[in-house]
Every structure is written in C-alpha cells, then in structure tokens.
Amino acid sequence: MQGLFCLFLLLTASTVLALNQSSPRCRCLYGDACWPSTSDFSSLQSQISQPLIYPTPTASACYPLSSPSGNCTDIQANWYNGTWRADRPGSMDITNYESFIFRNGSISACYMNTTLGAPCEQGNVPVIGVDARSVGDVQATVKFAVSHNLRVAIKNTGHDFTGRSAARNSFMLWTHHLNNITYNSTFAPEGAPPTETYDAITVGSGVLWNDAYNTVAAEGRMLIGGISVGGSTGAAGGWLQGGGHSTFSPLHGLGVDNVIEIKLVTAAGEYLTANARQHSDLFWALRGGGGGTWGVLISVAYQTHPTFPVTNVFFNATSTNTTVIKRLFTEFVRIHPALSAASFGGYATVTNASLNFFYSLPNGTDARANASFESVFGLARNLTAEGLEIAAQETGTYESFNQWYQNIPATGIVDGGILEIASRLLPTALFAEDEYEAFADKLFTVAGNEIGWNLVGGGAVSKVNPGSTGLNPAWRESLVEAVWGIQWGEGATFSEIERLRSELAVTMAQVSAIVPGAGSYFNEGSLFEPTPKQTYFGSHYDRLKGIKDEYDSTGLFIVGAGVGSDEWVDNLNCRRFD
C-alpha cells in the first residue's frame, strides 16, 4: 500500500510538472532566458509583410541630451497632437501609460521635460512587435506569441485611458495600418438571407473615426462613433468593444448597438466572422465585453444613418458663490430626462465654481434648442444679481453631422497629457421629479475638483434589450456618465502619485455612496476598481467568462480589469494558482 501511495505521489508530481511545462505559469518577458532568439525573430520576419518594429517612448528622440538621437523639435511641436501620436507605435495618448512604476516605487520613464535630468528608459512600452498589414500578418504574430508564451499588447492608436494597449517587456501587435474602408449600401452579413441588407461601412481596425466619417459623409450618411478633436480614436477596436458612446447615442444607440459584423483572429490563430448567425456567442461578447480580451479585430461593419442638421448649445457660467452654482446645477439636472427624450447629447463639467456644457441636438433648430434650455438660461440671468457671471451662451446650427464634427470645440481631455480617471453610470431614476434635488445636492458636494458629465445614455440606448449584447446592463438604465480624474506633472514621485490616487479613490467612494452598485464604463474607468467584475460587466460577467474560456483558454489576451484578469497577478504576467 505504501508503495502504491508513493507511486501515486510520483505520478501526481509528474503530472503537475508536465502541466507546468506545457502551460507555464508566467509569460515570457524580454530579458527572460525564454525570450525568443534572434533566429526565432528572423523566422517570424519571414512570415510577415513588414519589418519588425522596435517601439520607443515618444520623447526618446530627445535623448541622450548631449546628442539627441532624432528630431526633438518635431516631437515638441506635436506632443499634444493625437493623430501624430497614433502614427507612432510607442506613443500612448495618455503619457503616464508609457511609464512603469516598480514595486519599490521607482519609475521607468522617458520625459519630454529633459531638464528633469532623468534618463530616458523604455518604461511600459513594448520592446518589439509586428506592424500588421493583413490577416496573415496577424495570424503569424498570434501563433508566434502562443508558441513562445509571450505577453501580448494589442495596440491601434493608443487612445487609451487605462493603458491596456501597452505592457512592460511585452510583444506588440500593432493594428494601426489595417485601415481599409468599404462603403456598401446593400451590405449582407455572412450567413444571412439575401433579403437582409444594411446601408453599412466596413472599417479595418486601424481606421480613425475622422476617415470613417468623411467616407460616409460623401454618401450623405453618418454613423455612431467616437467624438474627439482630430478623430484620433480607432473606429474598430477598444472603443467598440467597451461599448462605444457618442454625442448621438441618445438618438441611435451606442457603438455596440450599431455593429452588424466583426471579423477577428482568435488566440488559436483562426480567422472568424462573428455576427448574429455565425459565432453569435462571440459576437455577443465582443459588443461590450472589453477590448484586448477576445482576439485581434480585423474589421467591423457598422450600419450608417442619414445625415442631419445639428444644433449646438454652448454655455459657461462661473461664480465665487458656491450656492449660486449649486442652484444652477440643480436646474440643469432637472431638465435631463426631457433633453434625452429630445435626443440631445453632449458633455459638461461641474465644479463648485462653474458649470460648463456643450450639448447638441440632431435635426434641431436654434429656437428648439434655446427653448429646451430656457429654464437654465432664465435662472442664470436671474442669478447674475447674486454673483453669477455668464461667460458664454451660444447657439448655432450646422447643416450636417460631418460639418458639425469638423467644427466641434477642443474640450475635454488633452492628447499627450497625464491622467487617471474613474467613472460611474448615473441611472435615469435619479433624475425623477422626487429624486433629482437630493441627487444633485449630494453629487455637488463631491464636484469641487471637477466632474465630467456626459449625456450619452437614455433615449435609444435605454430601448435596447439589456441581454442582446455583452455590455453591462447598467448602461440600459443610465442617463449620464459621470467622469473624474487626477493629473500630475512629469517627474512626480511615486508618493505624490499615490497621494493623488488616494484622492481619486475617495471621490470614487463618495460617488458610489450616492449611487450604490452603479456600473462604470470599461473604456473610461479605473484600474483600481474595488469590484471590477460587477462594476464593468454586471450580471453578464459569468457568461462572458465562459465565452472567454472557450475562445482563449490559455489567456493570451488579458488586460487590466478585463474578463479573466483576476486569474493573473504580477502586472498580469503570471497566473494565480491560489
């Protein structure tokens, strides 16, 4: 019996050893003994269409200080240009995600401010990668990463508020040049009957929204997409997979509500078409289950809509009298159900000293827009006697969506800045007649450091069956997304960053107390969420995890706070076995 027991232990140990050998606990990183050899990379090079890329931090050309390695003047001139950044594989739109903080608090970074005297280091930027130009390039890259057990970072434009498209010592798959665009007024999804057609645009994963908008504008159409100056956000990547909100979501829904078909390469290297009839489970997960999680998107087909005139309402008021701003904000909150019902969408910011908003009305007129806001404007005029200053109040109409888009003001987050954010989805129920005053009062108490206020819910967003996509069902009950963040200067110490993160966490707790159990937008949230499964995915998490296990059982595609990420530790490089 003892011999049999010993044999059992020996077999068990051998099995565990075999499992560990076939499925290592940790990914292979640059600098590890397992990192692919020069010969291995030469073999990969022979299978792809472009030379391998070696991403570097954005400011690297300004170093060494004694003899800069590149055109530092060009970098200084374009530092805040999101489109320019998108064309550089090592650049992140939010620059702190190019840096890496070690456990001991030291920071590896490459600062634009060369007077800090810090060396230029690789930080969080992947060290080598593939500039994918075809399905074949992506398949070869994925298979190479699997065979060498590499940590993979999928990057398109780097317009990423949580740094999920970069990872220290990793292998980059850059999809920015998968940029084919096709417009088809009678697009038929694969597997659908010939009678099922859509007026659609198919965009490669590297297409920027600006190019997509221009394409459909030539056909007298528009589509639901990201709204950022210069259009530096990718049209078929993380924006979509996280949900994809837009100024015109109250009219036509979120990005996930406008997708017809998605083509992607899975962790097994398979090129699949996911739609309502083929791989429908994966199609469900891709629409809201989070970017960087399901595979490498090759292209996406979106339905388009007839273009329309757009009326803007821009307003900015300030006061040193906090009570005055609070009264104005309360009235602003009150009218939101009516604004959403009219299909208004847009963005605002509130502090204890100011209220600023830029809202847009499709198919509107100046008269209709002004009438919708008359209670706010009238109150503002009355409050001037109590110290309110109306800095701006403007209304104007553009003849088409594209004309509107080309003229939107530069508001919100600045490309090339330093930022960490958090968000909460604010349920429509809070805006009811018997709720809004108490809700506005509570939220205003935490608005001193500025809270972003995005009217991107309600309307068409709320009319979609919550179970029809993998998106957090909280979106279907919400009217507004509240966003807030922290910023610091280059060269800040870890203790300074930690202090600011603590402040962010306090605000998160305060807003959560006002809206218990509220969801958050995966693309505009915090990597330090206390309960990310519930906050980002809600009741859909378990189904999403099951689909994740089916299509990516080894966890090749893992991102911060994404589906399955709780099974990984040490910066998502090693599996958790406890």
Side-chain angles (χ1 to χ4, degrees):
M1 180 66 71
Q2 184 177 5
L4 289 175
F5 181 67
C6 290
L7 178 61
F8 171 76
L9 289 177
L10 179 62
L11 289 173
T12 302
S14 299
T15 302
V16 171
L17 178 61
L19 286 173
N20 285 341
Q21 289 175 337
S22 62
S23 181
R25 181 186 177 195
C26 294
R27 295 295 186 211
C28 183
L29 304 177
Y30 175 71
D32 292 344
C34 57
W35 187 251
S37 65
T38 301
S39 176
D40 292 328
F41 281 115
S42 294
S43 177
L44 172 62
Q45 180 65 81
S46 69
Q47 302 171 55
I48 57 178
S49 64
Q50 303 296 312
L52 289 166
I53 56 175
Y54 299 87
T56 56
T58 310
S60 60
C62 297
Y63 294 82
L65 299 183
S66 58
S67 179
S69 59
N71 188 345
C72 187
T73 301
D74 179 61
I75 290 172
Q76 292 169 334
N78 289 288
W79 188 259
Y80 300 107
N81 184 324
T83 304
W84 177 86
R85 283 181 164 273
D87 286 335
R88 305 173 68 87
S91 288
M92 297 294 290
D93 201 65
I94 306 300
T95 63
N96 42 296
Y97 294 117
E98 293 181 25
S99 303
F100 184 84
I101 301 176
F102 293 94
R103 289 178 178 174
N104 65 3
S106 60
I107 300 175
S108 175
C110 186
Y111 299 125
M112 182 68 261
N113 184 359
T114 58
T115 65
L116 293 171
C120 177
E121 297 179 334
Q122 190 73 9
N124 203 43
V125 178
V127 294
I128 190 170
V130 170
D131 176 6
R133 306 289 179 103
S134 68
V135 174
D137 284 349
V138 174
Q139 289 176 307
T141 303
V142 168
K143 291 175 181 177
F144 181 83
V146 170
S147 66
H148 292 280
N149 189 38
L150 303 181
R151 171 73 187 279
V152 175
I154 305 172
K155 180 177 182 289
N156 177 6
T157 67
H159 195 110
D160 178 355
F161 295 143
T162 53
R164 295 182 174 112
S165 52
R168 181 172 174 79
N169 291 330
S170 68
F171 179 58
M172 175 182 286
L173 204 171
W174 194 33
T175 64
H176 185 55
H177 292 116
L178 292 170
N179 49 20
N180 290 332
I181 304 178
T182 304
Y183 173 77
N184 186 347
S185 62
T186 57
F187 177 85
E190 290 186 20
T195 55
E196 183 183 330
T197 62
Y198 300 84
D199 194 301
I201 181 174
T202 301
V203 294
S205 62
V207 171
L208 302 183
W209 279 119
N210 195 51
D211 296 323
Y213 293 148
N214 287 336
T215 298
V216 298
E219 308 293 337
R221 312 286 292 184
M222 63 81 65
L223 73 157
I224 295 299
I227 305 298
S228 61
V229 176
S232 61
T233 306
W239 177 88
L240 165 66
Q241 293 172 84
H245 71 59
S246 165
T247 303
F248 302 104
S249 288
L251 176 66
H252 286 311
L254 298 166
V256 295
D257 304 325
N258 286 269
V259 176
I260 305 165
E261 185 169 272
I262 299 173
K263 293 182 183 291
L264 74 160
V265 172
T266 68
E270 297 180 285
Y271 180 46
L272 301 181
T273 297
N275 58 34
R277 289 174 173 79
Q278 298 180 172
H279 302 288
S280 58
D281 56 343
L282 184 56
F283 186 54
W284 181 87
L286 284 161
R287 292 175 294 156
T293 300
W294 310 99
V296 184
L297 267 63
I298 302 298
S299 66
V300 174
Y302 291 101
Q303 62 179 323
T304 70
H305 306 277
T307 194
F308 42 70
V310 181
T311 302
N312 287 339
V313 179
F314 178 68
F315 180 83
N316 183 28
T318 62
S319 179
T320 56
N321 186 336
T322 299
T323 302
V324 165
I325 294 294
K326 182 178 177 181
R327 287 177 60 189
L328 189 64
F329 175 64
T330 301
E331 178 60 20
F332 179 65
V333 170
R334 185 190 70 82
I335 67 173
H336 267 69
L339 294 177
S340 177
S343 297
F344 270 101
Y347 313 95
T349 55
V350 56
T351 73
N352 58 18
S354 65
L355 174 63
N356 176 75
F357 61 83
F358 172 69
Y359 276 21
S360 300
L361 176 64
N363 296 304
T365 63
D366 289 12
R368 282 182 56 204
N370 283 324
S372 297
F373 282 94
E374 180 50 36
S375 67
V376 172
F377 294 160
L379 178 60
R381 289 192 296 270
N382 291 336
L383 290 174
T384 56
E386 299 180 39
L388 185 74
E389 179 180 346
I390 302 174
Q393 181 185 322
E394 302 172 7
T395 306
T397 298
Y398 292 96
E399 65 180 23
S400 68
F401 163 85
N402 210 46
Q403 188 185 71
W404 168 86
Y405 180 73
Q406 299 302 331
N407 288 279
I408 57 175
T411 59
I413 296 166
V414 177
D415 300 313
I418 290 176
L419 180 71
E420 285 188 10
I421 63 176
S423 68
R424 284 293 180 271
L425 301 174
L426 306 179
T428 303
L430 293 174
F431 296 79
E433 282 294 329
D434 59 345
E435 294 283 345
Y436 80 91
E437 286 188 88
F439 161 59
D441 179 71
K442 292 175 182 177
L443 189 62
F444 191 81
T445 63
V446 299
N449 292 325
E450 186 174 301
I451 286 184
W453 177 274
N454 301 333
L455 176 54
V456 290
V461 176
S462 64
K463 294 179 173 64
V464 176
N465 180 348
S468 64
T469 71
L471 183 70
N472 188 344
W475 265 106
R476 307 305 177 183
E477 302 173 353
S478 299
L479 191 62
V480 167
E481 179 204 15
V483 185
W484 60 96
I486 54 172
Q487 296 177 291
W488 59 87
E490 283 193 324
T493 64
F494 177 59
S495 60
E496 291 175 285
I497 296 171
E498 281 291 274
R499 177 183 59 79
L500 290 167
R501 284 176 173 171
S502 296
E503 292 179 5
L504 184 67
V506 168
T507 306
M508 191 187 306
Q510 290 173 330
V511 178
S512 295
I514 298 169
V515 196
S520 176
Y521 181 28
F522 185 74
N523 290 346
E524 295 173 356
S526 171
L527 292 176
F528 304 102
E529 278 287 349
T531 57
K533 292 181 184 179
Q534 177 61 35
T535 306
Y536 289 129
F537 307 105
S539 59
H540 286 166
Y541 185 84
D542 288 344
R543 182 181 176 190
L544 288 167
K545 182 58 167 61
I547 297 170
K548 169 73 172 173
D549 290 343
E550 178 181 354
Y551 287 92
D552 184 17
S553 59
T554 64
L556 178 66
F557 304 119
I558 294 293
V559 296
V563 174
S565 63
D566 60 315
E567 297 178 355
W568 294 78
V569 295
D570 192 20
N571 293 304
L572 303 180
N573 291 322
C574 296
R575 277 196 179 275
R576 184 194 304 275
F577 281 164
D578 53 2

